Amino acid sequence: MKAYRLAGWKKGGHYVDVPVPEPGPGQVLVRMGGAGICHSDLHIMHEWSPEERPELAAIAPEFTLGHENAGWIDRVGPGVQRWEQGQAVAVSPVWSCGACAACRAGDDSYCEGPRTGSGGLGQDGGLASYMLAPARSLVALQGLAPDQAAPLTDAGLTSYHAVKRSLDVLTPDAAALVIGVGGLGHMGVAYLRELTGGPVIAVDRSEAARNMASRLGADLVLDSDDRTAEAVRDATHGLGVRAVFDFVGIDATLQLAASVVRSRGKITMVGLGGGTFPVRFGALPHATTIGVTFGGSLSDLAEVVALAELGRVRPHVQPFDFDRIDEAYHALHEGRVEGRAVIVPG
Ligand SMILES: [Zn+2]
Ligand SMILES: [Zn+2]
């Protein structure tokens, strides 16, 4: 089969012929139905290396990219019960040990077990005809097609997990701010609209992204410039917002987050922009917390899938054929993807 693999650190991706893998104990072979194209892949392919980011030492090229996956079970490995051939499934991008304190608490994305990487992030992912996945990482799809479900496993899961962490402070009299309405951010706006009662404000530099935020029900949509913070305060009676979701994560967006969050608020950093914000007493309103989240739990994924199956929150998908992966990444790099690009195998 053809696979699109990370050629090496800062060496981009390329198509390679590889054998169809055999499922081992506890694994299933998934026939791919869709694989989402994520901005983090651009960092992995072109910018990052283990010298600068020691956390990458556990994962080594080459491996097949694509960590946002859904398809159909093709074969099950020894010892796998529950799953049967033909079942449509979403594959969590979090491959966890299942035995550490975090996993036992249901917080699999913060697994403290051995770091093995996961499909598309160290292990072979879904930009191929087939991929292997641990049976434990799957969530069944009842009616949703895999190419529509694929973005739920990262764009959906990661944004949902971030929103869920702030639900306790998002009372109907408190506003939320989403910075960056891309693959993850557009899902964040939709989850906030579905799960909270207060105003949702969205910020993005792209007009197409702002239009999407409006369509998804954002109450106020703003361009990103030097008046954004003032506009947010004006719209919230001078109070600011109780929760900020920064899906960009550069210095300017963190600065915006800090300047509009109100006391007892929560800032969640999701974007991998690599920005920093100096924390000291007085830099933030009292009792503000900043959290850095990663992915989401298996139960978060089940909830995300349930919301999509019900038709309440579904990703906006822009499909690309398998031989157009380079083009899809290029479009993402240039900010020309609306919602999520999904690679559909031929
Ligand atoms: Zn991702
Ligand atoms: Zn664990």
Side-chain angles (χ1 to χ4, degrees), residues 70-97:
W72 299 270
I73 293 186
D74 192 75
R75 288 172 59 198
V76 301
V80 172
Q81 295 181 340
R82 186 175 150 76
W83 299 106
E84 284 180 7
Q85 190 184 34
Q87 170 70 54
V89 289
V91 182
S92 169
V94 174
W95 293 3
S96 46
C97 77

Side-chain angles (χ1 to χ4, degrees), residues 92-317:
S92 169
V94 174
W95 293 3
S96 46
C97 77
C100 74
C103 287
R104 285 185 200 282
D107 266 336
D108 289 66
S109 48
Y110 308 116
C111 176
E112 296 167 312
R115 287 197 166 201
T116 57
S118 62
L121 298 167
Q123 309 257 8
D124 289 337
L127 288 176
S129 307
Y130 297 88
M131 74 176 284
L132 292 176
R136 188 172 177 277
S137 72
L138 307 176
V139 170
L141 300 173
Q142 306 304 341
L144 205 59
D147 60 337
Q148 300 298 306
L152 298 174
T153 65
D154 180 16
L157 175 69
T158 304
S159 59
Y160 181 81
H161 180 65
V163 166
K164 218 174 148 186
R165 147 179 206 282
S166 296
L167 287 181
D168 59 333
V169 297
L170 286 175
T171 48
D173 58 346
L177 174 66
V178 171
I179 304 174
V181 189
L184 276 69
H186 89 285
M187 300 293 290
V189 169
Y191 290 128
L192 286 163
R193 199 60 297 163
E194 184 63 29
L195 301 175
T196 72
V200 177
I201 305 172
V203 174
D204 201 291
R205 284 196 298 208
S206 145
E207 190 181 354
R210 293 197 297 275
N211 289 340
M212 176 167 294
S214 294
R215 286 200 299 278
L216 291 168
D219 298 275
L220 177 66
V221 177
L222 299 168
D223 198 353
S224 175
D225 56 34
D226 52 8
R227 290 161 307 182
T228 309
E230 195 185 328
V232 170
R233 278 192 296 273
D234 285 350
T236 52
H237 312 290
L239 289 169
V241 300
R242 188 50 61 60
V244 184
F245 304 92
D246 185 352
F247 290 105
V248 180
I250 59 174
D251 287 0
T253 57
L254 289 168
Q255 180 59 48
L256 173 63
S259 66
V260 298
V261 71
R262 61 194 275 199
S263 63
R264 300 182 296 123
K266 287 187 173 179
I267 297 172
T268 306
M269 286 174 65
V270 185
L272 304 179
T276 57
F277 175 76
V279 176
R280 57 171 165 75
F281 194 91
L284 290 162
H286 293 148
T288 305
T289 60
I290 301 183
V292 185
T293 59
F294 177 77
S297 67
L298 288 163
S299 54
D300 288 336
L301 182 57
E303 291 166 30
V304 159
V305 167
L307 279 169
E309 298 265 15
L310 287 165
R312 301 216 205 285
V313 178
R314 287 190 177 168
H316 181 92
V317 169

Side-chain angles (χ1 to χ4, degrees), residues 36-41 67-68 93 121 153-155 158 184 272 340:
I37 291 292
C38 182
H39 204 275
S40 58
D41 292 335
H67 57 268
E68 201 176 70
L121 298 167
T153 65
D154 180 16
T158 304
L184 276 69
L272 304 179
R340 200 58 143 178

